[in-house]
Amino acid sequence: MLKRFTIAMEQNLLDDFDAFMEAHHYQNRSEAIRDLIRQRAVEKEWDANKPVMGVISLVYDHHRHQLQEKITELQHDHHHQIVSTTHVHMDHHNCLEVIIIRGLAAEVRSLADNLIALRGVRYGKLAMSSTGEHLH
Ligand code: NI
C-alpha cells in the first residue's frame, strides 16, 4: 500500500531534482524518488558485500593473442556464478561480451576487475544490479 508524505526542500535542490526527472523521463516525482531510494538500496547491498547480480560488458579485439582463451578461462573459474554470457561479433576486429553474474559483491567485482584489466580489452564496465530481494 502506498503511503503519502510531504517533502520540504530548498528551491535549488528541487530544481536539480526536476532536471534529473526530465533528463530521465520520469512522469512524476513519486516514481523518481522511489527509484532513487531503490538505487541507494542496491548500493548498500554492494557496500555490505551481500549477494548481488552484476552485468559485465567487455569490448575486445579477438585477434589479440590468447585473449579470447583468457576471457573464457576466467569465466570457467567462476562457472557456478555465471548465469549467462552473450557474445556479439561487432565488426572484423571487435567483440562485445556481456556476462551476467551472481555472487557476493566482492567476488563479482573481483571477476569484473580481472576481466577488464586483461590486455586487449578496450572497454569494460560493471553494472551493479540487485538480486531483487530488497527492492520492493
Ligand atoms: Ni566475436
Side-chain angles (χ1 to χ4, degrees), residues 35-90:
D35 278 2
L36 285 174
I37 293 171
R38 291 184 188 115
Q39 175 69 39
R40 179 67 201 119
V42 172
E43 287 168 10
K44 243 171 83 184
E45 288 177 6
W46 281 77
D47 287 347
N49 198 26
K50 299 277 191 211
V52 297
M53 296 201 75
V55 181
I56 305 168
S57 304
L58 302 172
V59 174
Y60 62 93
D61 182 350
H62 72 96
H63 292 123
R64 170 77 73 153
H65 183 59
Q66 289 205 321
L67 179 56
Q68 181 88 68
E69 288 81 356
K70 282 179 195 155
I71 288 172
T72 302
E73 197 179 306
L74 273 172
Q75 292 185 67
H76 276 277
D77 290 345
H78 295 264
H79 64 88
H80 50 287
Q81 292 172 305
I82 301 220
V83 179
S84 163
T85 301
T86 297
H87 185 105
V88 177
H89 313 300
M90 292 197 298

